[in-house]
């Protein structure tokens, strides 16, 4: 850790990152290093010039170990990307890792999980979203009728008002009842 990294981020900016995340100064510098490693020349040059808004391309971001094998990496990047393109500033990147971290409250994790699994971004999780979710978790290896069966079970258990879609509150129940869904997003609810 040290002077070389911290010199690239001003003290003032480090304080802002600390206020916006659950990370300590030391953790932020460590995470900065992982961000820089995704494209060292681009990031160092921008940060040395005080341009903290430099964007990492989606294809670069998904090289990160936490994302590389996630069936939801496209959704995760989109949800945390400020312009929803999947490209990320360091601030977006910190937010993402902050929500994934142990320090983040369960409610916050659940709220982001809801956005991630709401594949068509219409603020509700319906049968189409759940089909996609189950297919991704199982690697698209299940027969349609088996996927339908799982989706029926989820809706039976969690769709409290039986209107065929899940609200954020209803969805939270799935995360509590089904740890494997949480595991795919490092959610640990
Ligand atoms: Ca939806
Ligand atoms: Ca409902």
């Amino acid at each position: 850790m040290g002077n070389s990294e911290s010199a690239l981020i001003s003290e003032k900016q480090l304080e802002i990152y600390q206020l916006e995340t659950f990370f300590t100064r030391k953790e932020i510098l460590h995470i900065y290093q992982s961000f820089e490693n995704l494209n060292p020349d681009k990031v160092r040059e921008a940060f040395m010039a005080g341009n903290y808004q430099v964007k990492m391309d989606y294809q670069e971001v998904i090289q990160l170990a936490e994302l590389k094998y996630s069936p939801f990496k496209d959704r995760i990047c989109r949800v945390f990307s400020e312009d929803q393109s999947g490209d990320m500033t360091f601030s977006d990147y910190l937010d993402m890792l902050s929500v994934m971290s142990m320090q983040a409250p369960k409610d916050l994790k659940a709220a982001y999980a809801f956005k991630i699994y709401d594949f068509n971004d219409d603020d509700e999780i319906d049968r189409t979203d759940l089909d996609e979710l189950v297919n991704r978790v199982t690697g698209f290896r299940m027969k349609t009728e088996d996927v339908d069966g799982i989706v029926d079970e989820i809706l039976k258990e969690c769709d409290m008002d039986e209107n065929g879609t899940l609200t954020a509150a209803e969805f939270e129940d799935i995360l509590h009842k089904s740890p494997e869904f949480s595991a795919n997003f490092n959610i640990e609810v």
Side-chain angles (χ1 to χ4, degrees):
M1 278 298 88
N3 296 333
S4 61
E5 290 111 336
S6 56
L8 285 177
I9 308 175
S10 70
E11 285 302 319
K12 193 175 157 222
Q13 188 61 39
L14 272 173
E15 279 172 30
I16 295 171
Y17 290 144
Q18 273 178 267
L19 288 171
E20 288 175 347
T21 65
F22 298 104
F23 295 127
T24 64
R25 185 180 187 282
K26 193 175 168 189
E27 287 168 331
I28 290 166
L29 290 172
H30 187 73
I31 293 165
Y32 167 77
Q33 200 54 57
S34 81
F35 186 73
E36 187 191 288
N37 288 345
L38 295 170
N39 188 334
D41 290 345
K42 179 162 88 177
V43 176
R44 285 192 74 84
E45 193 184 320
F47 271 66
M48 271 192 278
N51 172 18
Y52 306 123
Q53 296 305 312
V54 62
K55 280 182 189 163
M56 195 64 76
D57 298 337
Y58 169 70
Q59 290 300 336
E60 294 169 329
V61 176
I62 59 173
Q63 297 310 308
L64 182 73
E66 281 89 336
L67 293 175
K68 205 166 186 172
Y69 304 106
S70 168
F72 304 107
K73 58 181 175 243
D74 59 326
R75 293 295 308 163
I76 294 169
C77 288
R78 185 182 158 87
V79 163
F80 286 98
S81 159
E82 205 177 333
D83 63 7
Q84 298 190 318
S85 65
D87 300 344
M88 282 195 194
T89 62
F90 182 55
S91 182
D92 296 338
Y93 184 83
L94 270 179
D95 280 349
M96 171 180 76
L97 293 176
S98 182
V99 171
M100 286 178 169
S101 75
M102 301 285 284
Q103 294 98 307
K106 286 176 187 177
D107 289 354
L108 184 67
K109 287 174 182 282
Y112 274 98
F114 183 83
K115 289 184 195 201
I116 287 163
Y117 299 145
D118 175 18
F119 293 93
N120 62 352
D121 300 309
D122 68 351
D123 292 326
E124 54 185 26
I125 291 185
D126 61 14
R127 181 169 275 279
T128 316
D129 296 312
L130 290 170
D131 274 350
E132 180 74 18
L133 199 169
V134 172
N135 275 320
R136 287 192 184 208
V137 169
T138 56
F140 292 87
R141 283 189 293 265
M142 286 179 92
K143 289 187 199 143
T144 309
E145 58 260 41
D146 294 338
V147 173
D148 285 347
I150 294 175
V151 170
D152 286 343
E153 283 302 310
I154 294 171
L155 285 172
K156 204 165 99 188
E157 280 207 56
C158 300
D159 181 16
M160 294 311 199
D161 60 4
E162 298 181 353
N163 69 344
T165 70
L166 300 178
T167 59
E170 288 173 325
F171 179 73
E172 242 177 76
D173 279 351
I174 300 182
L175 296 179
H176 287 291
K177 289 173 188 165
S178 234
E180 65 267 30
F181 287 162
S182 323
N184 275 288
F185 181 49
N186 286 346
I187 278 183
E188 287 150 359
V189 181

